[in-house]
Amino acid sequence: MRLSRYFLPTMKDTPGEAAIASHRLMLRAGMIRQSAAGIYSWLPLGLKVLRKIERIVREEQDLAGAHEVLMPTIQSADLWRESGRYDDYGDEMLRLTDRHGRDMLYGPTNEELITDIVRRELRSYKDLPKNLYHIQWKFRDERRPRFGVMRGREFLMKDAYSFDLTEESARHSYNAMFVAYLRTFARMGLKAIPMRADTGPIGGDLSHEFIILAETGESEVFYEKGFDAFDPLAAMPDYDGDLQPVVDCWTGLYAATDEIHDAAACPVAGDDLITGRGIEVGHIFFFGTKYSAPMGAVVQGPDGSQIPMQMGSYGVGVSRLAGAIIEANHDDNGIIWPVAVAPFDVGLINLRAGDAACTGAAEDLYADLRQAGFDVLYDDRDERAGTKFADMDLIGLPWQMAIGPRGLEKGVVELKNRRSGTREEIPRDGLVARLKG
Amino acid sequence: MRLSRYFLPTMKDTPGEAAIASHRLMLRAGMIRQSAAGIYSWLPLGLKVLRKIERIVREEQDLAGAHEVLMPTIQSADLWRESGRYDDYGDEMLRLTDRHGRDMLYGPTNEELITDIVRRELRSYKDLPKNLYHIQWKFRDERRPRFGVMRGREFLMKDAYSFDLTEESARHSYNAMFVAYLRTFARMGLKAIPMRADTGPIGGDLSHEFIILAETGESEVFYEKGFDAFDPLAAMPDYDGDLQPVVDCWTGLYAATDEIHDAAACPVAGDDLITGRGIEVGHIFFFGTKYSAPMGAVVQGPDGSQIPMQMGSYGVGVSRLAGAIIEANHDDNGIIWPVAVAPFDVGLINLRAGDAACTGAAEDLYADLRQAGFDVLYDDRDERAGTKFADMDLIGLPWQMAIGPRGLEKGVVELKNRRSGTREEIPRDGLVARLKG
């Protein structure tokens, strides 16, 4: 992409309204713009990241055997009256009335709607298990929206819902999502730790939050030494097999947020207990028949009896992750994208846009890199070198290349690794091979 | 995908509430379910089609030089007061109030919001031209929603907005979308004819509707013989070059919907005028400074003066297309998907799920087809052959294969082309080559 044609409105100054790093950097890097309090428009650079996050989430859900659906944003209030949550939910629910005076709402979550779909279609125990997910915008009318996309009102969430005949089978569905979440966050370059959690308004008696570690995290977290030894991507899980040993391995170590942690009762102490800060990026729940029983979501069992389905729900904050990844990956100069979610692979800077030789060399390299399959942001603007370097650091692509008269004379291109800061002069002909490395 | 695990709730009977073919077939084929009047959930099969339509739309927008953004669904009423449309828009606008009593609305379209973004970021004529698009859910509170996703209340639309310094340049942006739309619909296997249109509440003085021909279409259309000779995919357009000749070629033939057509004034008559029925799937507008002037969306011109940007907007009904494609592609037995938007490439039927030899052969073929890159829906259910054939015809995949004891004995598999109805017996080893052929 030629920057001269792209829509990438970067900002030099730190916007006053932004209190945390990810919010500041997403505004400065031209990723988002606020449209109303807690409601954001995603500009091209931000949307590319959001789509990459979404794709990883989707791939791991599909691998774990979940099926993608798409439920609407606007729901009928009647369903929420059936579950009893319409009145419980409070001011965070965005309520509205359509032109015929019917009570509607903008879905903050989808337990009721998916249960309604499933109770109409699944009739027999043979139709189970099923796990259905969607990636859709939600709205929660936060009293004080802040921290950019980390606590917005309109936000993108992946929510999955599992339906099983027995508690044992439901536990397997829960474990599958547990493992899929570990893989999902690891693929984004994040260290996520599952922590036993309160279930809150979703209900149920088994729940884990997935917390990524970041110095600027919203909550204090306490966890036992040893998580570093686990690698969720070391082997492909067998989702049809027994996943309990994997889950037991991760839950065998102590980990809790400050909401639950009780220093006096903590089984781990001294150097074995690490204190840090974290950001919640996923939350999974098993809640049995909390929704299926009142809503009549039953199947016929092998013996002909009507059995309410055992349910769980599983959320990933997709838009929140864009912010959370930045919280865990930035420095004073800007964002440092993990490769898997970087909006472009390479930033190519033409240091002398007015110079025919430099421009020719930059155009050639731009063509070669694209030919080799790299997604390149090519800064072909007529701007000062300092501005170009600063913008590249700010938007944080994994690799930067700069073409200028001095390198050209020597037949080399300067290659910078954004994360390590290392600069190397690479012979022009070896660049593609070096990147493929 | 194994059908035994998939969520594909097909229906034998025609649902009473569905008045048109696409609505009936989308319900029967388990593509959608109504969640509230005019509001649908997309089940896995429907969502796969929706995503394929979306991808084609996106690829053609990108090729034409538009940049993808994503604006939120909920907008502030204040922006619409600036343009003067808040009061004009009437009951179709879904209005709501947030917890702090602020007037908000669910966007029925995005001229105001995109103009607000652009006026804050584009300052100089050097920043132009720009064309920004998004693919986002919209809400129009239709008084009488009907015809399934063809006239739903919550619907997915691609809307693009172009910003230019001069009318001439804006005309080029309009032409680029004109050409991109022709390609978009052609890639979906549709014959779309651009027809001069009224501009309605969007405003402006230049507008075309893109109408696809379908016997069951909503409007009567009148067009001159000759459109069949044009192939939008014959050559790759040069979006940097002059597109006026291409547009002139298409607009040189007479074409109008019944809203505009006047038999007495029509320049074409007799056998040269064809009467048919059509469905609107796209609509493009040039409206100059209608929004930029009242909203102060100006750039500094080369002479230092402040110039309001020349704007156009360009819509494609993405969710509507799922229905429109079916209206144009079905028979008494079900849907007949064009290859480019088919949810799977091949449907593989095991006629004797209880038989070890048949099941072994079906599993082998399923593995081979996937290995060869085909997306296969494998009916491994324990159901009668008649049910399986009927379901396959209903969901309309381009190819069907059936494995049964008789074919197995002869070493052949029955291959059926859904569109032509042709059945062939193909030697097992030649199947992959036959499909690729």
Side-chain angles (χ1 to χ4, degrees):
Chain A
M1 177 59 63
R2 288 170 193 277
L3 194 41
S4 61
R5 296 190 168 196
Y6 205 44
F7 183 49
L8 183 67
T10 56
M11 297 157 71
K12 279 204 194 72
D13 300 322
T14 296
E17 77 268 29
I20 62 169
S22 60
H23 191 189
R24 275 196 301 274
L25 290 170
M26 288 179 82
L27 289 170
R28 287 191 54 210
M31 290 178 65
I32 55 169
R33 287 296 181 264
Q34 182 171 292
S35 293
I39 303 179
Y40 293 87
S41 290
W42 294 73
L43 306 192
L45 195 79
L47 183 60
K48 281 196 88 169
V49 173
L50 190 67
R51 292 289 182 234
K52 289 200 171 186
I53 294 170
E54 200 180 316
R55 188 183 315 152
I56 292 172
V57 171
R58 177 176 291 120
E59 286 172 1
E60 293 299 327
Q61 292 292 295
D62 291 344
L63 272 176
H67 299 291
E68 190 173 6
V69 298
L70 187 63
M71 290 175 271
T73 60
I74 300 297
Q75 306 180 15
S76 161
D78 288 341
L79 284 176
W80 290 69
R81 294 196 175 105
E82 277 191 65
S83 73
R85 286 208 294 180
Y86 187 64
D87 294 321
D88 292 356
Y89 217 92
D91 286 341
E92 274 195 18
M93 181 184 279
L94 190 66
R95 294 156 207 262
L96 48 111
T97 307
D98 75 6
R99 68 187 291 168
H100 297 298
R102 281 178 295 231
D103 288 334
M104 314 287 286
L105 56 95
Y106 198 122
T109 176
N110 284 61
E111 280 81 6
E112 283 80 359
L113 190 45
I114 194 77
T115 303
D116 179 54
I117 292 170
V118 160
R119 72 179 167 181
R120 291 190 273 162
E121 308 299 342
L122 303 182
R123 303 288 167 78
S124 158
Y125 71 95
K126 291 181 196 159
D127 296 328
L128 302 182
K130 282 283 179 296
N131 185 333
L132 304 175
Y133 75 99
H134 76 157
I135 301 176
Q136 177 63 293
W137 293 88
K138 312 287 191 295
F139 202 99
R140 289 185 193 162
D141 203 357
E142 301 262 356
R143 199 172 57 79
R144 238 190 96 203
R146 56 196 156 149
F147 304 148
V149 301
M150 296 276 285
R151 186 165 294 184
R153 293 199 289 172
E154 186 169 330
F155 60 97
L156 187 61
M157 185 163 92
K158 186 286 298 180
D159 35 329
Y161 303 90
S162 66
F163 301 88
D164 285 88
L165 185 68
T166 65
E167 270 197 60
E168 190 190 345
S169 167
R171 179 68 198 229
H172 178 80
S173 297
Y174 184 93
N175 288 348
M177 288 294 104
F178 188 105
V179 171
Y181 277 30
L182 289 172
R183 288 180 50 85
T184 299
F185 302 125
R187 283 186 57 190
M188 295 174 197
L190 298 171
K191 283 190 204 307
I193 297 181
M195 303 197 181
R196 188 104 186 176
D198 276 337
T199 55
I202 303 281
D205 55 9
L206 174 62
S207 177
H208 285 91
E209 285 179 343
F210 289 77
I211 306 275
I212 61 163
L213 302 176
E215 279 171 35
T216 51
E218 61 204 345
S219 11
E220 197 166 19
V221 295
F222 305 86
Y223 58 97
E224 194 171 346
K225 208 166 66 178
F227 282 103
D228 276 350
F230 306 151
D231 176 6
L233 303 177
M236 188 60 206
D238 171 12
Y239 285 109
D240 291 328
D242 185 9
L243 299 166
Q244 197 62 47
V246 184
V247 173
D248 287 345
C249 166
W250 283 81
T251 55
L253 293 177
Y254 180 82
T257 64
D258 48 10
E259 279 184 8
I260 282 195
H261 178 70
D262 173 0
C266 180
V268 189
D271 285 353
D272 287 346
L273 187 69
I274 302 170
T275 307
R277 299 200 70 82
I279 300 169
E280 183 199 328
V281 289
H283 203 156
I284 63 179
F285 303 88
F286 168 66
F287 43 70
T289 62
K290 180 181 153 80
Y291 300 90
S292 55
M295 294 183 67
V298 298
V299 292
Q300 190 166 50
D303 62 355
S305 63
Q306 298 290 308
I307 303 170
M309 291 183 253
Q310 296 285 333
M311 290 175 58
S313 74
Y314 314 92
V316 169
V318 175
S319 50
R320 163 170 261 239
L321 270 164
I325 291 168
I326 295 174
E327 291 296 333
N329 295 277
H330 69 275
D331 63 15
D332 289 345
N333 296 326
I335 304 166
I336 304 171
W337 289 112
V339 171
V341 296
F344 293 90
D345 304 315
V346 185
L348 171 63
I349 296 174
N350 179 3
L351 292 170
R352 289 258 178 99
D355 180 274
C358 280
T359 300
E363 294 280 340
D364 276 357
L365 183 51
Y366 179 49
D368 281 2
L369 289 167
R370 291 164 72 201
Q371 180 71 30
F374 293 103
D375 195 11
V376 184
L377 183 65
Y378 169 29
D379 192 345
D380 60 340
R381 294 175 303 170
D382 185 14
E383 290 279 356
R384 285 177 313 137
T387 301
K388 293 187 173 194
F389 280 123
D391 273 349
M392 275 303 172
D393 274 355
L394 174 62
I395 66 173
L397 308 180
W399 296 101
Q400 297 172 14
M401 292 179 187
I403 289 195
R406 259 179 305 180
L408 216 56
E409 239 170 60
K410 293 199 280 179
V412 297
V413 172
E414 189 177 271
L415 178 70
K416 175 177 159 185
N417 181 296
R418 174 68 179 93
R419 187 170 292 274
S420 67
T422 317
R423 293 167 195 274
E424 301 169 78
E425 291 196 331
I426 309 280
R428 166 64 179 84
D429 292 341
L431 268 172
V432 167
R434 174 71 184 76
L435 279 196
K436 289 201 164 168
Chain B
M1 177 59 64
R2 286 170 195 276
L3 194 41
S4 62
R5 295 189 170 197
Y6 205 43
F7 183 48
L8 182 67
T10 55
M11 297 156 71
K12 278 203 194 72
D13 300 323
T14 297
E17 77 267 31
I20 62 169
S22 61
H23 190 190
R24 275 196 302 272
L25 290 170
M26 290 179 81
L27 289 170
R28 287 191 55 210
M31 291 178 64
I32 54 169
R33 286 294 180 265
Q34 181 170 294
S35 292
I39 303 179
Y40 292 88
S41 291
W42 293 74
L43 306 191
L45 195 79
L47 183 60
K48 281 195 88 169
V49 172
L50 190 67
R51 292 290 182 236
K52 289 200 171 184
I53 294 170
E54 200 180 315
R55 187 183 316 151
I56 292 173
V57 171
R58 175 177 291 119
E59 285 172 1
E60 293 299 327
Q61 292 292 295
D62 291 344
L63 272 176
H67 299 292
E68 190 173 7
V69 299
L70 187 62
M71 290 175 270
T73 59
I74 300 296
Q75 306 181 15
S76 162
D78 288 342
L79 284 175
W80 290 69
R81 294 198 175 102
E82 277 191 63
S83 73
R85 286 207 295 179
Y86 187 63
D87 294 320
D88 294 354
Y89 217 92
D91 286 341
E92 273 195 19
M93 181 184 278
L94 189 66
R95 295 156 207 263
L96 48 112
T97 308
D98 75 5
R99 68 188 290 167
H100 297 299
R102 282 178 293 233
D103 290 333
M104 314 286 286
L105 56 95
Y106 198 121
T109 177
N110 283 61
E111 281 79 6
E112 283 80 0
L113 191 44
I114 194 76
T115 303
D116 179 53
I117 292 170
V118 159
R119 72 179 167 183
R120 291 190 272 161
E121 308 299 343
L122 302 182
R123 303 288 168 77
S124 158
Y125 71 95
K126 290 181 197 160
D127 296 328
L128 302 182
K130 282 282 179 294
N131 186 335
L132 304 175
Y133 75 98
H134 77 157
I135 302 177
Q136 178 62 293
W137 293 88
K138 312 286 192 294
F139 203 97
R140 289 185 193 163
D141 203 357
E142 300 261 356
R143 199 171 57 81
R144 238 189 96 203
R146 56 198 154 146
F147 305 147
V149 300
M150 296 277 285
R151 186 166 293 183
R153 294 198 288 172
E154 186 168 329
F155 60 97
L156 187 60
M157 186 163 92
K158 186 286 299 179
D159 35 327
Y161 303 89
S162 65
F163 301 88
D164 285 88
L165 187 68
T166 65
E167 269 196 61
E168 188 191 347
S169 166
R171 179 68 197 228
H172 178 80
S173 297
Y174 184 92
N175 288 348
M177 288 294 105
F178 188 106
V179 171
Y181 276 30
L182 290 172
R183 288 180 51 84
T184 299
F185 302 124
R187 282 185 59 191
M188 295 175 196
L190 297 171
K191 282 192 203 308
I193 297 181
M195 304 196 181
R196 188 103 187 178
D198 276 337
T199 55
I202 302 281
D205 55 11
L206 174 63
S207 177
H208 286 91
E209 284 178 342
F210 289 76
I211 305 275
I212 61 163
L213 302 177
E215 280 171 33
T216 52
E218 60 204 346
S219 8
E220 197 166 20
V221 296
F222 305 86
Y223 58 97
E224 193 171 346
K225 208 168 62 177
F227 282 103
D228 276 349
F230 305 152
D231 177 6
L233 303 177
M236 188 62 205
D238 172 12
Y239 285 109
D240 291 329
D242 184 9
L243 299 166
Q244 197 62 49
V246 184
V247 173
D248 287 345
C249 166
W250 283 82
T251 55
L253 292 178
Y254 180 81
T257 64
D258 48 11
E259 277 184 10
I260 281 195
H261 177 70
D262 174 358
C266 180
V268 189
D271 284 353
D272 286 347
L273 186 70
I274 302 171
T275 305
R277 299 200 70 81
I279 301 169
E280 184 199 328
V281 289
H283 203 156
I284 63 178
F285 302 89
F286 168 68
F287 43 71
T289 62
K290 179 180 155 79
Y291 299 90
S292 56
M295 294 183 67
V298 297
V299 291
Q300 189 165 52
D303 63 356
S305 63
Q306 299 289 306
I307 302 170
M309 292 182 254
Q310 296 285 335
M311 291 176 57
S313 76
Y314 314 92
V316 170
V318 175
S319 49
R320 162 169 263 238
L321 270 164
I325 291 169
I326 294 174
E327 291 296 334
N329 296 276
H330 69 275
D331 64 15
D332 288 345
N333 296 324
I335 303 166
I336 304 171
W337 289 114
V339 171
V341 296
F344 294 91
D345 304 314
V346 185
L348 170 63
I349 297 174
N350 179 1
L351 292 170
R352 289 260 179 98
D355 179 274
C358 280
T359 300
E363 295 281 339
D364 277 356
L365 183 52
Y366 179 49
D368 281 2
L369 289 168
R370 292 163 72 202
Q371 181 71 31
F374 293 103
D375 195 10
V376 183
L377 183 65
Y378 169 29
D379 192 345
D380 60 339
R381 294 175 303 171
D382 185 14
E383 289 280 357
R384 284 178 313 140
T387 302
K388 293 187 173 192
F389 280 123
D391 274 350
M392 275 304 171
D393 274 355
L394 175 62
I395 67 174
L397 308 180
W399 296 100
Q400 296 172 15
M401 292 179 188
I403 289 196
R406 259 179 306 182
L408 216 55
E409 239 170 62
K410 292 199 281 179
V412 298
V413 172
E414 190 179 271
L415 178 71
K416 176 177 158 183
N417 181 296
R418 176 67 179 92
R419 187 170 293 275
S420 67
T422 317
R423 292 166 196 275
E424 300 169 77
E425 291 196 334
I426 309 279
R428 166 65 180 83
D429 293 340
L431 268 172
V432 167
R434 175 69 184 76
L435 281 195
K436 288 200 166 169

